[in-house]
Amino acid sequence: MTGLTVLAVDDEAPALDELAYLLNRHPAIETVRTAGDATIALRELADVPVDAVFLDISMPGLSGMELAGFLANYSSPPLIVFVTAHDDRAVDAFAVGAVDYLLKPLRDERLDQAVERVLSQRSAPAPQPDGAAAEPERADRDDVIPVESGGVTSLVRRDAVIWVEAVGDYARLHTDAGSHLVRVPLSVLEERWRTHGFARVHRSYLVSLPMVIGLRAAGASTMVRVQGSGNSPAVELPVSRRQVRELKDRLVRDPMRTIRSGRTGG
């Protein structure tokens, strides 16, 4: 069994540095990644799976407790160890499935115990009771994307996104609830979401196939029509010539394709 890969999350830089230092010293831990808040932690987890998250509770935006509750919905969730100055949240911590609850300042022996619990749970097979019903499908790591607005972090579900446009090194997500600018290049979203019903139709646009309501020839060009966001009318986006054939093919065969009843391309 290889060493653990863990993610340390704390919005206070000195506390994060100390936690990372202590984790790096542990012989059972191979790789330590760090995040200064829950939003960054979600990006880290989307890029690299980890065995455990050592997580502060009180953070701006999305709290550690809220992050842990969300991570519990992953198909293969990382184990959670809370590292906090609050001694009154242990019940809540274990209610969201934490394997341990460490109080600051950290002591080496308590950190050792927490790592041992992570190792133990990591190696234990998941129980499969006889006759148990299959668990419902859980969210994968790209099922949501964190967005920030006015100091508040929200989670936008991938299946709520209608289309995405490139804005330099950023991307703007268009949903029924409005638009959100996120610090993720369009090319990254294309790679992650292609197998979930999204298609790149232009160097500047990514569309959700279930939201496509028509194609229209415009001279030598082709336009794809997608459902409007909120109360807005349908939106037409240009399709690159080299993308036309693939788009038409995917609209016919893609398993995510579900034309919404009552909508037409006209």
Side-chain angles (χ1 to χ4, degrees):
M1 183 178 295
T2 58
L4 298 173
T5 297
V6 302
L7 175 64
V9 187
D10 199 309
D11 65 302
E12 296 182 358
L16 181 59
D17 290 343
E18 179 186 12
L19 177 57
Y21 170 74
L22 293 173
L23 291 170
N24 270 308
R25 288 198 313 171
H26 200 285
I29 295 176
E30 181 176 342
T31 303
V32 178
R33 302 177 71 86
T34 60
D37 59 39
T39 302
I40 297 172
L42 282 170
R43 296 193 193 108
E44 288 285 334
L45 291 167
D47 291 336
V48 178
V50 304
D51 298 297
V53 180
F54 287 73
L55 179 62
D56 188 21
I57 286 181
S58 296
M59 293 186 292
L62 196 67
S63 74
M65 201 67 71
E66 291 169 330
L67 175 60
F70 169 71
L71 294 181
N73 290 313
Y74 277 10
S75 55
S76 298
L79 299 171
I80 301 294
V81 176
F82 281 107
V83 183
T84 178
H86 299 274
D87 61 2
D88 59 347
R89 303 295 301 278
V91 172
D92 295 333
F94 290 113
V96 295
V99 299
D100 211 338
Y101 188 90
L102 308 182
L103 291 176
K104 299 175 181 177
L106 286 177
R107 293 182 291 117
D108 285 338
E109 58 268 30
R110 280 295 290 120
L111 184 61
D112 289 344
Q113 291 173 5
V115 173
E116 285 301 319
R117 290 184 179 183
V118 169
L119 288 169
S120 176
Q121 293 215 20
R122 182 188 181 220
S123 60
Q128 296 291 336
D130 293 339
E135 290 188 6
E137 184 177 352
R138 292 186 170 188
D140 64 44
R141 295 177 188 272
D142 292 321
D143 192 51
V144 299
I145 187 166
V147 299
E148 300 172 70
S149 178
V152 176
T153 301
S154 303
L155 299 176
V156 174
R157 291 186 57 85
R158 180 182 57 218
D159 59 16
V161 177
I162 302 169
W163 60 286
V164 188
E165 65 176 315
V167 184
D169 291 332
Y170 290 62
R172 184 173 295 281
L173 312 179
H174 293 267
T175 73
D176 276 335
S179 66
H180 310 275
L181 190 66
V182 295
R183 287 178 288 185
V184 181
L186 189 67
S187 58
V188 172
L189 292 179
E190 176 191 11
E191 180 181 352
R192 293 178 180 172
W193 290 1
R194 178 177 173 79
T195 57
H196 297 279
F198 282 79
R200 185 77 170 262
V201 298
H202 186 275
R203 65 182 180 181
S204 298
Y205 302 111
L206 183 70
V207 301
S208 170
L209 296 178
M211 300 297 181
V212 172
I213 56 178
L215 293 173
R216 181 176 68 85
S221 302
T222 299
M223 307 295 289
V224 60
R225 198 175 191 204
V226 297
Q227 174 185 325
S229 57
N231 295 320
S232 301
V235 176
E236 286 193 342
L237 304 171
V239 182
S240 299
R241 287 186 179 182
R242 65 187 184 89
Q243 300 289 354
V244 172
R245 182 182 295 275
E246 181 182 359
L247 176 60
K248 289 181 178 179
D249 185 46
R250 289 193 64 186
L251 287 174
V252 171
R253 65 175 172 79
D254 199 292
M256 299 294 295
R257 174 67 178 155
T258 52
I259 295 287
R260 297 197 168 193
S261 60
R263 297 187 182 274
T264 67

